[in-house]
Amino acid sequence: MAVSTTTPTPPRNRTLWQRFKDFFGYATIQQQRAVALVLLVCQIGITITGSTVRVTGSGLGCETWPKCHPDSLVPVEGLPIVHQIIEFGNRLLTFVVSAAAIAAIVVVYKARRRKELKVYAWASFILVVVQAIIGGISVLLNLRWWAVALHFLPSMALVWLAAMLYSRIKTPDDGTPTRQFPGRIQNLTLIANIALIVVLITGTMVTGSGVHSGDAAIHMESRLQVNTEYMAVAHAMCMYVYLAFTLVVVWMLYRHGAPSATKKAGVVLIAIILLQWVIGVIQFRLGIPRWTVPAHVGMSGVVTCFSALLYAHGVTRVRKGDANELVTGSPAGDTRRAAHFAS
């Protein structure tokens, strides 16, 4: 049964608290996507601040976890205050990311959205908690390279989840899953993303063997004992493989007449990969200066985001031509919203 498009809109004279409850309790598709976008930006942003902790040598600015110091939850006098603020500030951002994840859970549940979206939202929150624990363990292990790598990689998984949630929210729950391009292209897109995982792993190994240990007190025994230059070359080779797969995917999208939005997503992804390549080359040629690391890490998040968005284009949900547009994305959500604002 089609849901009417005449869903009542909130009156203009509602209080701030009422507007807040309207937003989170009866969110439209656009409002749900806004929450998912905030979550996505937070997930990428915290990787940038995390890399800033590393290149400024602030990794042990807070020397223990979950407290900053054994006798203090917050930074204390007598120790390098800048390092403490940078590390403690990065820890506080975890609460911002957690709040965004909780907000995503609330809006998809209140809007009565489908199970797929709830899984993305819950997985984001649970992995944020796991990520915080891994970060604490890496501090307790004095920032050993493999512990720091294990702290970074879940961040990219979180970016992937947030991007999938952002993309899939716009599709109606009662729509029919429909392929936008042949399954073999979707499979190739998946292979490209597996290649991206290898790129990210080798990237952590370059960092683990490089000059930015995360804290000035960390000795080389905590670093990956390989030649950084050789490791960087291996990382670059993996990136070329990922780029090659992505180029083939986009070529096939054009050949098979994929929707224009899908082809555009592929072209944008290639452009972002090339920009990331330029940043990587600059890093290599200049000896990995500090300022390039947050840029390279941040772009890793952007690449992961657009890789997920391209993959999400493979299958979308399409409603019948005579069906009225859903306001919340869910028939049950529209019914609940209409009843609320009609009362």
Side-chain angles (χ1 to χ4, degrees):
M1 180 177 179
V3 177
S4 173
T5 57
T6 59
T7 302
T9 57
R12 292 179 177 272
N13 60 347
R14 297 175 75 77
T15 65
L16 182 62
W17 175 244
Q18 287 173 323
R19 291 176 183 272
F20 178 84
K21 291 194 295 183
D22 291 343
F23 183 93
F24 285 98
Y26 310 93
T28 65
I29 289 179
Q30 291 74 23
Q31 291 168 337
Q32 293 169 44
R33 293 196 86 199
V35 172
L37 180 60
V38 169
L39 176 60
L40 177 57
V41 171
C42 286
Q43 298 291 17
I44 295 175
I46 200 169
T47 65
I48 297 174
T49 61
S51 65
T52 302
V53 170
R54 187 177 192 90
V55 298
T56 57
S58 304
L60 295 180
C62 287
E63 58 190 349
T64 188
W65 186 88
K67 292 183 177 181
C68 188
H69 301 284
D71 299 322
S72 177
L73 182 64
V74 299
V76 298
E77 296 182 3
L79 295 173
I81 191 63
V82 173
H83 290 174
Q84 290 187 79
I85 290 174
I86 292 174
E87 166 62 9
F88 188 69
N90 186 62
R91 292 187 182 189
L92 289 180
L93 283 178
T94 300
F95 293 99
V96 177
V97 179
S98 299
I102 291 172
I105 293 173
V106 171
V107 294
V108 297
Y109 268 86
K110 290 292 187 179
R112 304 292 194 268
R113 299 306 305 270
R114 63 186 182 272
K115 182 179 179 180
E116 175 194 15
L117 303 181
K118 295 174 182 177
V119 168
Y120 287 139
W122 270 111
S124 293
F125 175 71
I126 293 171
L127 196 52
V128 165
V129 175
V130 173
Q131 172 75 315
I133 295 173
I134 295 174
I137 293 173
S138 69
V139 171
L140 298 177
L141 291 174
N142 291 323
L143 305 182
R144 292 189 178 276
W145 78 268
W146 54 267
V148 176
L150 290 176
H151 186 43
F152 169 75
L153 294 173
S155 296
M156 295 298 101
L158 283 164
V159 170
W160 173 274
L161 288 169
M164 292 294 291
L165 178 64
Y166 174 77
S167 178
R168 293 287 171 84
I169 276 178
K170 67 182 178 181
T171 58
D173 293 358
D174 61 348
T176 302
T178 306
R179 284 197 174 278
Q180 298 299 295
F181 45 78
R184 61 181 178 277
I185 302 180
Q186 182 80 338
N187 292 336
L188 191 59
T189 305
L190 181 59
I191 293 173
N193 280 279
I194 293 173
L196 173 60
I197 294 173
V198 178
V199 173
L200 295 172
I201 292 173
T202 55
T204 65
M205 296 174 74
V206 174
T207 305
S209 65
V211 296
H212 302 298
S213 63
D215 188 90
I218 300 300
H219 301 293
M220 284 307 297
E221 59 264 23
S222 294
R223 317 297 292 137
L224 176 60
Q225 302 300 313
V226 299
N227 184 290
T228 303
E229 182 175 335
Y230 292 164
M231 196 68 245
V233 172
H235 174 57
M237 294 300 103
C238 293
M239 187 279 296
Y240 291 136
V241 172
Y242 166 58
L243 175 60
F245 276 116
T246 305
L247 286 169
V248 172
V249 167
V250 175
W251 173 74
M252 293 180 70
L253 290 175
Y254 275 87
R255 181 182 178 186
H256 290 277
S260 58
T262 303
K263 292 185 289 189
K264 182 180 178 180
V267 172
V268 170
L269 174 57
I270 290 173
I272 292 172
I273 295 172
L274 292 176
L275 177 58
Q276 175 73 317
W277 171 77
V278 170
I279 296 173
V281 170
I282 292 174
Q283 276 190 305
F284 186 78
R285 297 298 183 187
L286 297 182
I288 318 180
R290 295 179 187 274
W291 64 269
T292 63
V293 176
H296 197 53
V297 169
M299 283 302 299
S300 295
V302 176
V303 169
T304 301
C305 168
F306 278 87
S307 293
L309 293 177
L310 179 59
Y311 180 79
H313 273 273
V315 178
T316 188
R317 287 174 174 263
V318 179
R319 304 181 77 217
K320 294 181 179 179
D322 60 347
N324 295 324
E325 183 180 355
L326 294 172
V327 176
T328 65
S330 163
D334 272 28
T335 300
R336 180 172 178 272
R337 178 183 168 87
H340 172 74
F341 290 119
S343 60

